[in-house]
Amino acid sequence: MITGNYPSLRLRRSRKNDWSRRLIQENSLSASDFILPIFLIDGKNTKQSIKTMPDVYRYTIDKLGIVVDKAIKSKIPMVALFSYTKKEKGNWH
């Protein structure tokens, strides 16, 4: 049974345990939460813009180290690699 009125009674049940505090806390976002998508193409020494995504590029494998080094310096802990396949090379219907 709950007796008393606010401010003399403040229900704190949802903040009693650490796990429940984390569950209801405000969002916090940092570079350690990011995943950098890296788009790859065949060839050598190429950086190709993607028309539908301004300031996003496709890179050849030999350029991959430079992009990953920038991610490490920016403290981005994870990358996701996406390969590009031309329609004539893929199994498109």
Side-chain angles (χ1 to χ4, degrees), residues 27-71:
N27 295 336
S28 62
L29 192 60
S30 70
S32 64
D33 298 315
F34 294 155
I35 299 173
L36 175 66
I38 301 174
F39 301 94
L40 301 172
I41 54 173
D42 288 334
K44 290 187 179 185
N45 198 30
T46 303
K47 176 181 171 181
Q48 179 186 82
S49 65
I50 300 175
K51 293 177 188 176
T52 57
M53 294 190 286
D55 300 321
V56 178
Y57 301 92
R58 293 185 183 102
Y59 300 92
T60 53
I61 294 290
D62 57 332
K63 296 265 188 188
L64 186 59
I66 296 167
V67 178
V68 171
D69 286 342
K70 286 182 182 179

Side-chain angles (χ1 to χ4, degrees), residues 20-31:
S20 62
R21 287 192 304 273
R22 287 192 320 264
L23 184 65
I24 61 172
Q25 76 180 1
E26 293 294 322
N27 295 336
S28 62
L29 192 60
S30 70

